[in-house]
Amino acid sequence: MTEFQTIAIFNFPHEIFVLKSILENEGIPFLFQNENLVAVNPLASYAYGGIQLKVHPNDFEKVQQILDNLNSNLEIV
C-alpha cells in the first residue's frame, strides 16, 4: 500500500459511494484513506485532509477516466 498514490480527495463520505462500487466492479485495487475518521466526524474533514482516494500508479489512467466520466455524466435536475 505504500506505493499507492492519491488521485482524488473528497470532503464527505456520501461522495464516494458510487465511485467505490465502480472501482470494485472494475477490479481496481484502491484505498479511501480517512474514510472512517470523516464518517465519525464529518465536520473535521478538512482537518484530516479529506477522504483521499489512493490507487496504484499503474491504474492512474483508468481511474482518471472513471472520474472524468462520473463528472461529465452528472446532471442536476
Side-chain angles (χ1 to χ4, degrees):
M1 291 288 181
T2 58
E3 296 177 11
F4 280 34
Q5 297 177 348
T6 302
I7 190 168
I9 298 175
F10 304 90
N11 293 318
F12 301 104
H14 68 272
E15 296 174 324
I16 65 171
F17 289 131
V18 172
L19 180 57
K20 185 186 276 191
S21 176
I22 292 170
L23 294 173
E24 287 172 351
N25 286 336
E26 293 289 328
I28 298 172
F30 65 91
L31 168 70
F32 280 107
Q33 186 173 358
N34 298 333
E35 177 183 7
N36 293 330
L37 287 171
V38 174
V40 170
N41 189 0
L43 298 177
S45 177
Y46 297 105
Y48 296 128
I51 301 170
Q52 300 172 18
L53 171 57
K54 295 185 176 274
V55 296
H56 193 274
N58 292 343
D59 296 320
F60 254 55
E61 275 188 46
K62 189 170 186 178
V63 173
Q64 189 60 58
Q65 286 178 339
I66 291 170
L67 290 169
D68 291 344
N69 286 337
L70 275 175
N71 287 333
S72 66
N73 291 330
L74 293 177
E75 293 182 23
I76 299 174
V77 181

